[in-house]
Amino acid sequence: MASARKTLITGSATFVGGLALWLFGLDEEIFIFTPSKVGVVLMVVGGLEAMYGIYKGVRGDDPA
């Protein structure tokens, strides 16, 4: 169960970091990328990871 909780927390933190980049990086442009686009990618990855943590917690097959 601890691994599922850790996955959920990590996914949520990634989602929040992506949300911050998306909200506050709209006017910025760094050499190769724009922070708002990276923020959208991080929000998608964080959301998927958080949903996987919820799935692992509900399923209960976590050995640790």
Side-chain angles (χ1 to χ4, degrees):
M1 195 65 153
S3 177
R5 187 175 303 130
K6 189 186 326 180
T7 303
L8 178 63
I9 290 171
T10 305
S12 299
T14 305
F15 182 83
V16 169
L19 182 65
L21 278 175
W22 180 67
L23 287 175
F24 301 115
L26 290 173
D27 296 335
E28 300 296 322
E29 186 171 335
I30 300 175
F31 183 61
I32 296 175
F33 60 90
T34 54
S36 61
K37 291 180 183 177
V38 173
V40 170
V41 171
L42 284 175
M43 285 192 302
V44 170
V45 170
L48 289 173
E49 188 173 2
M51 287 191 298
Y52 180 62
I54 291 170
Y55 169 75
K56 283 172 57 174
V58 168
R59 184 154 177 190
D61 289 343
D62 200 17

